[in-house]
Every structure is written in C-alpha cells, then in structure tokens.
C-alpha cells in the first residue's frame, strides 16, 4: 500500500451524510462523512470532510479532510457493523466458543435483587472468540512476525503514513493498537509517540447517577467531538450490561478498570477481593470486547508506606484498593504475583495493558516523589514481562505535577519503559482551581505530550467535584483536542499545521462560516460570534465586532499584500532587510537621529 | 522596613467586611478584607483573608491570606480614596495646574452631536499634577537615586519581599511600578520577573456595545477575581468620560492605547492622524491618570513590507493603523520620530511605556518571523532611549506562537531589551479553537511566564469572535490566574506553593468548604459540587461523588498515614527503600520470581 494511491471519494449519497453530528448551526452543516480508500486493499477509512467557500478573489478552497473518531454512526439499539470480523476470522488463529457463563452479579447487587439488568442489550448477541490452542493473536505478535494486518493498513491510511512505520513501532512496543478480537466494530487506531497524539474520555455510571441510555449517548457525544478512546469507569448498577451497550456502539477502543467491577462483586469490601474473582472479571471483559484494561500491578506492598507522609496520600481508586488489600493481608499485590497469568489471558484476545499508576501524586506537593518513581520502576519491569508474551502495553502517568517537573515524568518513563506509550491524566499544574481543572491539566498535558506522551486522558471541569454531565464531557474533549493538537504542532508532526493554516486563511479573508467550520467546536464559535453580531449578513461582512466597519486591520494587511506581496517585491525587501541590522547599529552609534533607509520597492503597483 | 516586623491585623470592624465580593455561596462568605501593616511606616496593604475550619483531629488551620487586587472596594459614583496623594505631594517635585482644556471631541463624535458625554463623572473633580520645572518624577528615577518611596514599601509588603529588591529591580529597569501621579487611588503594584506573575484584563466599550456603568462594573468584577491591571480599550462614544469613571474607581493601574482615541478624533481616518493630535491625546490621558500606554513606535516603514506574505498580515489594530499611516504618507512612523518627546511627557507624570508589538503574529504560521523580530530589535532600541529619560518601560509580545517556539520569544526579548519586563498576549499555541482561546492561550502563557514574562494579558473565550461580556471577563481572569500561578510554581517563587498545599490538605481532610474557599473561583467550585451532591451534609461528609460512601481512597490513605506516618517509621522505610532498586535488579537478573522484601516497620501501631 502506498498513500500516494489513496483515492479520495467525496460523500455522494444520502447514507453518507453525517447523522451523528447535530446540525444546530450553519457551520456544522458543512461537515460530512467521507472516505479515504486504498484501492489495493479496498480498505475505507471514514474522515470528516469540511466544505469551504472560495476566497474573495474567486480561488477555490478545500474541501478540508480531517481525522474522524465518530465512525459511521450507529443506532444505539442495533449497534455498529462488526466490519473487522472477516479480518479476524481470515487469520485462522481464533475460534468462537461458548464463553464464560454469565452471572447476575456481573451487573451488580441491584441486578441480583431485580433478577436482571435494567435494560438488556437488544442487538445481535455476539459469540466470543479466543485464540486456538496456545496461539498469540496480538497485533504486536503479528508485527514482530513481519505481518502487515488490515488493522495496520487502516491505521496507515488514517494517519497518512507508511504502513511499515505502523508495523515497526508496534513490533518495538513503542506503539499499540488496542483492538480486542471481540470488539470487531472498532476502527483500528494507534497510540504511540510517532503518531498523532490521542485523547481518552472517561464515562460511566456510578452509585449516584445515570442510565445506560445516557452512557451510550455520552459515548457517541464524546467520539463526535474527537475522543480517540473511551474508558467505561462504571461502578454502580448494570455494569456488565452497560458495557455491552457501549462496546457494541463504540467505533473507538473501550478501556476499563476491572478492579472496579471486581470490587462490586465482593460488596465493596477491598479485603474480600481474590485473584480468582478478579481473573473471572477480566475474562468476562475480554469476552465482551474490552480493548485495554488498567491493571494496578505496580502498587507493591513495600511501596505503600512511602505514601504515608504525602499531602494527599493515595488518590487513585485502584491504587488505594490494592494498597488496602496488601495492608489487610500483609501480602504482595495479587496483580503483581499473577501478572504472567494475565499476560497469557490478554494474548488470547489481544487486550492491551494500561499499567495503572496507583501511586500517582494527587497534589503538586507529592509530584515526582519516591512512591511515584518506585512504582514506575515496577511498571517498567512489567512492561518487559508483557512484551515477552507479545502483549501490548501502555503505561499510565500522573496526575498533579508542577509545570517545571512535568518533562521529567515522560522522559523517565520513556527511558525506563523502553519507549512503551505513555498515557497520562493531565497532569494538573496547580491545585488551586477546582472547577477549571480541564484548564490546569491541559497546560500540563501539552507539555507532557510535547516530550512524547502518546495519549492524554481528559479531565473535565467537574474533576474533584462531581461526575461530568454531557456538557462537561464535551468541554473536556475539546480542551484535550487543543492540548493534543498543540503538542502535534510543537512536535512538527507532518501535516498538523494544515488545519491551523486553513483556519487562519479563512480568518484573514473574512470567510466567517469557514472559520467556524474549521474550528474544533463550530457550534460554540458560531454562537459566540452571533452574540455580538447576530445578523446573517455579518457572517459575510468584511469586518468584525472588534474593530467595527470603519477601520479594519485585515483590510490594511490586504493592501500591503497587494502592494508588496509579489515575488519581485519580496526579493527586493529581503535584500534591503539584510543590511538593516547593521544600519540600526550605525544609527545608535551615531546618537540616535532618525533616518529613513532608501528602500526601493519595484514599481508597477 | 523589614517584613519580619509586619503586623498582621485581622479584619475587626464592619467597615472592613468585604463589600465587593458577592457572597452568593457559603464558601465566599469566608473571604474577608484584612490588612498587613508595616509598623515603621504605618503603610497598610489590603489582603484577602480566608477563614478555614479545623482539621478532623482538631488542629486549627489558617486563616489563609492572599494577594488582593480588588482594593478596599468603592461606590462607583464616589470613587476610591486617593490615598497616595500625600505621598506624591510630600515629595515636593510636582504641582497642581489647570491642565489641558477639555474638548467635546475627547468623548467622540456622538458626544459632539449631543453636546456632552452620556453620563458625566459625578465624583470629586481632581486637579491634575505634573512635575515642576524639568524634574523627573518616575519611580525609576527615585530608584536610581537610591530613594525608597512609600510605593516601594507598599509593594514589598504586598509581595512579601525585601524593599531593596523592589528598588533595585526598578532601578535596573527589570521591573516597573505603573502609577501615574494623577491616579492616586491606585494601590502600588510591580511588574517584573523577580515578582509574582501579573495578569491584565482588557475592557472597554466599542461602536457596537455597552454603557459607562457596565464598564465600571466590569472593572470591579475583573479586579475582584484577580486582575492586576486593567486596560481600557474603548473606541466608541464617551471615551474620555468612561476613562474618568474607570480611573477614579480603579485600585489597579489603568492602561490604554492612545491611538484608539486619537483615531476617533480624526473620524476614523488613519491617514489624517498627526503627531499633534496624538500628543494632545497623550497629555489628556496623562492628566486623567492613565498609568501605562501602549505605543506602537516599533512599526517602522521599512518593516511593513515584511508582513506582505504572512498568512494573516498585521493583526494588531494599533500596528495596522501606523502601518497604514506610514504607507499613505511614505514617511516614518511619527511615534518613532517623536519618541524622545513622548519620553519627556511621560517623565512628568510617571506614565510607563508599554511598547506595542504592532507586527505580532496573528497566526501560528507567522510566529517568530522577520517582521516580528525586526520590530523587537526596534523595541529594544526604544527601551534604551526611554531609560535614558528614567522612564519606565515594558515590552509587549505575541500573540499566536506554536508551543515549541514560545520560549524563544521571551529569551530573545529579555536579552535584547536587557531584562525590561515582557508583557504578552497569551500566546495562543494553536489557531483551531475559536471559542476556547482562553485555553489555547493559557497554555502558551504558562510556558512564556515560566521563562520570565512578567505580565500576561488575558484572552477571553470570545477572542476572534466578539466582545467579552461579564462572564467572559471572569473566565478570562480565572484562566489567567491559573497560568500566572502555574508559572510562579514552576519558577519556585517563594511561598507560591502555600495555597496549593493548603487546598490539597483541605481536600485530603474532606474539608469541602475550605476546598471551595481556597480555590480561585469558590462560587463555581461549590456550584459544581452541589450539582451531584446538593445536600448540605455532603459538604462535611467524608466521601465524595466520585467513589461514593462505601469505598474511599482518602480513607485508606489516612489509615496508611496512621500506621506508617511517624518519624520512626519513615526512617525505617527510607533505609529499606534505599536498597530496593538493587534488589529489583537482582530480582530481574534471577528470572523474575516474586519476592517480598523483609521490610521491618517499627512496632507500636
């Protein structure tokens, strides 16, 4: 496959029109679903196409195509098309099987009382698959064998890169493709520092709030705005069934923290947890199609006392559960002692590890301390062990870290973990702004991604205060798209600047609708504009509310361009300018009297 | 004066209770106005005092005192007490005089038609002062003479630093104290990289919007939330009178861009501007009490063509006005040619230059280009010239700059301008998020302040789209307090971490009200919390909505602290931990079998 052969097919028929986006505004109506197709393989990758108006001089613009995480869209009760099924079956190394027997407790105690989950999954019942015999069916395994999978080809089209880059980064462990063979609905995507920085959105119900339908809605909402993966952190009722609805409707990888569900199964008593209950929960989730799981295997008994004099102790729920268990039993963390067994399970389904940082700092005062870095040493050790099984791994990172200490986190992780993708929560660079922690953390997230973090877990404005609603999810996603994109720009990622340049050009040319349409959130951009100048003609007017109709800096700039923008003019300017600094020095030396240089601009304007 | 002698006087009487804050919430009610007093001089500095609850173990906390920009609060029609008047008069180097004759045009064309401004200033009419004879009355002049002024003493109390640091930084030009002798109501503050990072909020009416009362309200609102200076960028009607209301009510320095008013006086025709009209406008503003003025004297004729092939040309209004003027007349910028005369005027009133960056980039594509850096060379030259007059100077900076190019901006400015304070607008690190440019710019602002920018001009969510309303002003201010504080933490500014630590401690101890009260925006923090758990008891409950009542990571952390937090325990842990990395290496070398180290924790727990 060669990206040069890419055939660009614009959206043509009604079915291709984007249904998941809500066209509340004119600017969003210019977004549509299109496909990039590789002729050689027939693989089609959905992209968002943004129609643009011509420039004032009549020159056409765009359409602009951009990476799309919303997939083709789905009806929640039907789910998405399991389009990867044939790729998986064609490899001939997996088989369908009856699967683990479902238990009422999988949905939590309320379901046991009720006798069922509150809203059973209505779509087709998938039959779980697993590797045949002792086979390993991970993308890392294929990559290390030199095999190029359709998943890798899909990603190369999506990232607009060579497929060999995808294969080699996965083989080396520097990137992962989280796609469980039991989640054939998902569109392959890659997490690794050689690729676009990705973002994750957390959703999930809790003891306090929300229905299954709300969570599916949040999933679709999050991916519409750009979430690259979604973690289901449900802890309340209907855990198993909520996850089923989410996975069947998710075009992006789904991550979980299995200890949350395991804890529900033992009535919330951390001390009552056992490896057997945990393992059973992991297998349940492997069969459902969870793509990556946060495993807090680095919280070792001997590290727990290191947190005693912290300002905020242990703030990770999973970390605290395992620390509590270790202390109660005075035994080593069973996730650490059974880690090889977990690797064996993950290898059969292609589930990726997200090695949890259970001892991450919960306050800037606790950043980069002995507890945090001791755990990181262990996560590095576990990364190596997983790789011996050809199991994909990413490593989780903090948390709360003052700005000047952020860089050390990613550089240390990259060195110790031999380039395994880093996946961080922010970090928040100050503790004093609850209600604005999407911002305090986006600052740290940009810094940490600039130096190599591959995926950023979003933080919403509700962090520390409550559970995010739909508005918070959107704010968190957009804020993290900003951080991820700012890091892509800073890294000089190929093509990253194209959207900035297209939007800036639209701004300069007063193509207001294009400026909205090219923005991360066209709805908000248009609404803010309309607050001051709501009339429809203002969107084509060659001025804005900042300066008003009389005076316009953009107009003066256009005049300058008309006068000096030609190649000849610019050559003359460059020549004149080259001597300017010397003249400036002479001028100062001569006592600072004003002079006007003889700058000759070519005639003919 | 020695800060050791500081006498802390808690707010005692009714008059001291904070009237400017709106106690919409419980948590804001714990904020009050208090004073730090220097016994030797009697100088009193207002601070915000935050009452805190005791810890669960009964140990008292706080009260916590923090830097306050709201001043003592004022009734808009009366104005603030001109408390600096006696300091100014006592120096004996200034005198009252009749001042420039007011012109109806000063308030714009509508005022000329109406015969007056729409709402004349109702408070006491101040008599303008200026230096006697050829005296220079700037804080820089005093500092260079070795004189410690009351203004410097006020600042030393406010910044909790030695007054000699204040004097020496001002003398060297590395810090400025913008306080026009005709704005005796302002509380002295300092802008320089050795001090707390400051933020500016822009307000001002335009041709489209808003009344004088609204602008005074925005001023009080902005300073309540933490704006250190406010710029009045009014361009519409009643310019002179609006500014009068603002200055008489402002506890913080007021900045302006005089070219905006000058342009109104020539009916918006940039070509009709003259040095005489501009100079007259500057004197008008000097007499009113403007503390610093943005002067676009670096936009030289020969630099204009350098912008011709930019993506967004010239985006600074002042820059575009001067570029347009230069082109129309094919003459050098009159602000550059008359710069020495401006210095002479500023020296008589102690107005500070804010050297405008009229050629700043308006798109990430244009960042750090020849036009921008050519202008910076000239701003460096002008800085030196102003310093020859003992006139205070800060230098303005961009704008739109990708994250990896931000640092170069401040380092280059600091080197060329010999440490003169840098004052930047963001910069925005990506162009693709209109509606969220407070966030895109706070990321760049944190980075640029970390490396030495002294003041950050806020950007609101409405940037590029419209004029900010009151909500936008608040969002902009809080976002920039985050950036400034994050930079203070990163710079290791003395004491900066104390608020973070106090808030984190409150969080760990489930002192919810204290967590809200210590946050930058207690109202929002409390409202977000109440959305999920509105009941009053939840604010004292030892759990939160994230984990629910059954399981709590903070509780487990407290158990760990109880068990291992003593000094003896920690010593034993430190000893055991010191050998841990070696053991870990042995372990891996031995093939990875699990071991439990013999970590002996002292008994007695």
């Amino acid at each position: 496959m060669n990206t040069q052969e890419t055939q660009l097919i614009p959206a043509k028929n009604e079915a291709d029109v984007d249904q998941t986006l809500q066209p509340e505004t004119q600017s969003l109506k210019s977004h549509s679903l299109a496909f990039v197709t590789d002729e050689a393989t027939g693989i089609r990758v959905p992209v968002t196409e943004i129609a643009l108006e011509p420039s004032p001089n009549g020159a056409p613009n765009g359409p602009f195509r951009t990476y799309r995480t919303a997939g083709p869209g789905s009806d929640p009760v039907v789910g998405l098309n399991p389009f990867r099924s044939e790729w998986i079956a064609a490899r001939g190394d997996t088989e369908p099987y009856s699967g683990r027997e479902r238990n009422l407790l999988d949905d939590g105690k309320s379901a046991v009382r009720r006798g069922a989950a509150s809203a059973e999954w209505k779509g087709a019942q998938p039959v779980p698959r697993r590797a045949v015999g002792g086979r390993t069916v991970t993308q890392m395994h294929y990559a290390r064998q030199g095999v190029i999978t359709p998943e890798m080809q899909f990603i190369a089209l999506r990232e607009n890169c060579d497929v060999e880059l995808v294969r080699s980064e996965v083989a080396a462990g520097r990137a992962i493709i989280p796609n469980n063979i039991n989640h054939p609905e998902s569109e392959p995507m890659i997490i690794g520092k050689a690729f676009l920085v990705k973002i994750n959105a957390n959703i999930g119900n809790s003891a306090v709030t929300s229905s299954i339908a709300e969570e599916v809605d949040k999933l679709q909402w999050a991916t519409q705005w750009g979430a690259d993966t979604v973690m289901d952190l449900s802890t309340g009722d209907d855990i198993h069934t909520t996850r089923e609805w989410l996975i069947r409707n998710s075009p992006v990888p789904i991550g979980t923290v299995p200890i949350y569900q395991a804890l529900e199964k033992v009535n919330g008593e951390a001390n009552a947890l056992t490896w057997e209950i945990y393992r059973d929960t992991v297998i349940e989730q492997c069969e459902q199609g969870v793509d990556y799981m946060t495993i807090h295997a680095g919280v070792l008994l001997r590290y727990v006392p290191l947190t005693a004099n912290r300002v905020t102790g242990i703030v990770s729920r999973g970390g605290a559960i395992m620390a509590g268990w270790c202390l109660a039993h005075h035994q080593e963390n069973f996730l650490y002692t059974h880690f090889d067994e977990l690797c064996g399970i993950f290898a059969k389904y292609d589930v990726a590890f997200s090695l949890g940082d259970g001892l991450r700092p919960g306050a800037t005062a606790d950043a980069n301390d002995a507890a945090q870095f001791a755990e990181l040493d262990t996560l590095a050790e576990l990364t190596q062990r997983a790789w011996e099984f050809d199991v994909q791994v990413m490593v989780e990172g903090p948390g709360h870290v003052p700005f000047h200490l952020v860089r050390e986190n990613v550089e240390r992780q990259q060195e110790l973990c031999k380039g395994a993708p880093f996946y961080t929560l922010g970090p928040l660079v100050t503790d004093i702004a609850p209600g604005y922690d999407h911002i305090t953390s986006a600052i740290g997230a940009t810094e940490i991604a600039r130096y190599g973090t591959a995926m950023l877990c979003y933080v919403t404005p509700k962090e520390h205060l409550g559970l995010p609603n739909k508005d918070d999810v959107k704010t968190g996603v957009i804020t993290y798209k900003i951080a991820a994109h700012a890091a892509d720009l800073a890294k000089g990622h190929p093509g990253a600047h194209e959207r900035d340049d297209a939007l800036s050009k639209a701004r300069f040319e007063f193509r207001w609708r294009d400026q909205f349409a090219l923005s991360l959130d066209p709805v908000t951009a248009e609404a803010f504009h309309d607050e001051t100048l709501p009339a429809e003609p203002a969107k084509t007017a060659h001025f804005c509310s900042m300066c008003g109709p009389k005076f316009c800096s953009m107009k003066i700039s256009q005049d300058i361009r008309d006068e000096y923008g030609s190649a000849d003019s610019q050559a003359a300017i460059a020549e004149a300018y080259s001597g300017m600094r010397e003249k400036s020095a002479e001028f100062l030396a001569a006592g600072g009297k004003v002079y006007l240089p003889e700058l000759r601009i070519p005639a003919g304007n």
Side-chain angles (χ1 to χ4, degrees), chain A:
Chain A
M1 192 212 74
N2 185 316
T3 53
Q4 299 298 73
E5 295 162 18
T6 297
Q7 184 193 341
L8 299 179
I9 305 175
K12 285 253 173 57
N13 55 51
E14 204 57 41
D16 280 349
V17 171
D18 198 331
Q19 296 300 332
T20 58
L21 291 167
Q22 284 114 50
E24 302 159 36
T25 55
Q26 284 298 324
S27 49
L28 257 191
K29 282 188 189 158
S30 57
H31 284 218
S32 63
L33 172 62
F35 294 90
V36 174
T37 305
D38 178 26
E39 279 186 346
T41 60
I43 291 174
R44 281 176 15 132
V45 174
V47 295
T48 296
E49 182 168 284
I50 305 172
L52 300 178
E53 295 172 5
S55 291
N57 64 7
N61 290 296
F64 193 88
R65 284 162 177 249
T66 182
Y67 193 106
R68 177 184 181 85
T69 54
S74 65
D75 176 348
V77 298
V78 176
L80 282 156
N81 173 33
F83 77 105
R84 281 205 305 123
S85 294
E86 16 182 314
W87 301 350
I88 294 160
R91 288 193 275 263
D93 54 2
T94 59
E95 61 186 358
Y97 72 115
S98 59
R100 166 188 173 278
E101 197 163 333
R102 175 140 170 231
N103 187 319
L104 273 177
L105 198 57
D106 296 345
D107 273 314
K109 294 178 296 296
S110 299
V112 175
R113 283 197 301 277
R114 288 192 307 259
S118 58
E120 287 295 340
W121 165 242
K122 293 185 177 60
Q125 296 295 327
V127 177
R129 297 184 79 89
R130 69 180 165 199
V132 291
R135 303 282 289 271
T136 293
V137 300
T138 67
Q139 294 289 323
M140 184 180 213
H141 182 70
Y142 305 137
R144 285 176 164 186
Q145 308 293 314
V147 175
I148 303 259
T149 62
E151 286 84 349
M152 297 172 198
Q153 288 168 319
F154 189 100
I155 287 163
L157 272 177
R158 223 175 171 179
E159 298 267 348
N160 197 23
C161 70
D162 196 283
V163 72
E164 175 53 22
L165 180 69
V166 176
R167 190 206 61 76
S168 61
E169 289 293 295
V170 171
R174 288 189 299 264
I176 68 169
I177 301 174
N179 52 1
N180 186 327
I181 56 170
N182 290 314
H183 185 196
E185 300 90 345
S186 78
E187 298 182 343
M189 56 77 72
I190 195 160
I191 302 166
K193 69 179 168 187
F195 306 94
L196 289 165
V197 174
K198 304 302 187 298
I199 69 163
N200 171 71
N202 290 335
I203 62 171
N205 59 1
S206 79
V208 189
T209 53
S210 80
S211 70
I212 293 176
E214 277 177 72
E215 294 309 312
V216 175
D217 190 42
K218 272 189 205 164
L219 162 77
Q220 293 183 327
W221 184 244
T223 56
Q224 169 180 333
W225 293 110
D228 294 288
T229 77
V230 167
M231 290 193 79
D232 172 20
L233 303 184
S234 295
T235 58
D237 294 341
D238 307 330
I239 299 183
H240 180 100
T241 305
T242 301
R243 198 166 51 230
E244 190 71 31
W245 283 77
L246 291 175
I247 293 172
R248 302 287 75 85
N249 280 289
S250 180
V252 302
I254 294 289
T256 61
V257 186
I259 198 94
Y260 293 177
Q261 186 181 14
L263 190 69
E264 294 288 328
K265 291 182 182 179
V266 294
N267 201 24
E269 304 291 348
N271 302 349
L273 281 168
T274 64
W275 161 244
E276 289 69 28
I277 290 168
Y278 187 89
R279 180 183 56 196
D280 181 62
T281 305
V282 164
I283 291 172
E284 172 191 350
Q285 299 194 9
C286 287
E287 292 176 350
Q288 273 191 301
V290 171
D291 301 287
Y292 64 89
M293 300 186 197
T294 296
I295 308 288
H296 295 95
V299 181
L300 300 193
L301 176 59
R302 65 183 183 273
Y303 299 156
V304 174
L306 297 175
T307 67
N309 283 342
R310 280 178 157 185
V311 172
T312 56
I314 299 177
V315 295
S316 150
R317 292 187 67 222
I321 292 166
M322 293 317 303
W325 187 92
C326 290
L327 287 183
H329 297 275
H330 209 77
Q331 283 180 23
E332 191 49 282
N333 182 335
F334 60 75
L335 298 172
Y336 181 81
T337 57
H338 290 274
F339 191 76
D340 289 355
E341 204 174 331
L342 276 173
C343 293
I345 296 168
F346 282 13
K348 287 186 202 163
Y349 300 92
D350 199 5
V351 171
F353 279 105
S354 186
L355 295 175
D357 57 334
L359 303 182
R360 68 170 173 265
T364 49
D366 297 337
N368 299 18
D369 74 351
Q372 182 194 335
F373 284 152
E375 183 185 34
L376 182 57
D377 288 345
T378 298
L379 300 185
E381 172 205 324
L382 296 172
T383 298
Q384 298 290 336
R385 282 164 69 180
W387 284 351
E388 286 165 21
F389 289 83
D390 287 354
V391 169
Q392 305 188 93
V393 184
M394 59 183 169
V395 176
E396 297 186 8
H400 292 240
V401 183
F403 197 58
H404 64 300
L405 298 182
V406 170
R407 181 175 179 173
E408 182 185 1
N409 276 273
V410 55
E411 290 183 340
R412 192 178 184 120
Q413 182 275 340
Q414 286 292 291
E415 188 190 338
L416 291 172
C417 302
K418 315 283 188 233
F422 203 29
Y423 167 31
T424 63
L425 180 72
L428 289 70
V429 294
T430 172
D431 307 323
I432 67 170
Y436 298 80
D437 280 332
H438 57 309
I439 299 175
T440 63
S441 66
I443 295 167
T446 306
E447 171 83 348
I448 209 162
R450 172 188 177 188
Y451 292 113
T453 291
M455 185 157 79
L456 302 168
C457 182
Y458 85 174
V459 172
T460 79
K462 289 280 167 59
E463 185 77 13
H464 298 118
L465 300 169
L467 291 168
N469 61 25
K470 217 171 141 181
D471 282 346
D472 299 319
V473 167
K474 178 176 166 185
T475 302
V477 169
I478 299 287
T479 303
Y480 271 69
K481 292 304 276 188
I482 290 169
H485 181 74
D488 285 334
L489 285 177
K491 289 164 72 179
H493 192 82
H497 64 93
E498 287 169 10
R499 190 165 178 174
D500 296 76
D501 297 349
L503 191 145
S504 294
K505 183 165 181 265
R507 181 173 282 156
F508 184 72
E509 294 178 351
F510 288 102
R511 287 183 280 121
W512 285 99
R513 282 207 197 86
D514 291 351
Q515 192 188 150
F516 306 148
L518 285 162
S519 70
L520 287 177
D521 179 2
V523 179
T524 298
E526 186 162 351
F528 281 3
H529 171 269
D530 290 359
E531 271 183 39
T532 312
L533 287 175
E536 192 56 24
K539 281 179 205 148
T540 51
H542 280 200
F543 64 87
C544 57
S545 60
M546 278 77 81
C547 296
K550 188 94 198 182
F551 171 78
C552 174
S553 62
M554 293 293 195
K555 173 71 175 61
I556 289 178
S557 292
Q558 188 58 54
D559 293 346
I560 295 167
R561 179 174 298 180
D562 294 345
E563 191 158 351
Y564 301 112
S566 73
D568 281 356
S569 292
Q570 286 292 303
I573 290 159
E575 197 186 325
Y577 183 66
S578 66
M580 213 182 287
R581 292 197 182 216
E582 291 71 15
K583 286 197 185 171
S584 182
E586 286 167 25
F587 164 73
L588 283 171
K593 282 196 64 165
V594 170
Y595 73 103
L596 283 174
E598 293 279 290
L599 176 61
R600 298 260 172 245
I601 303 298
N605 45 51

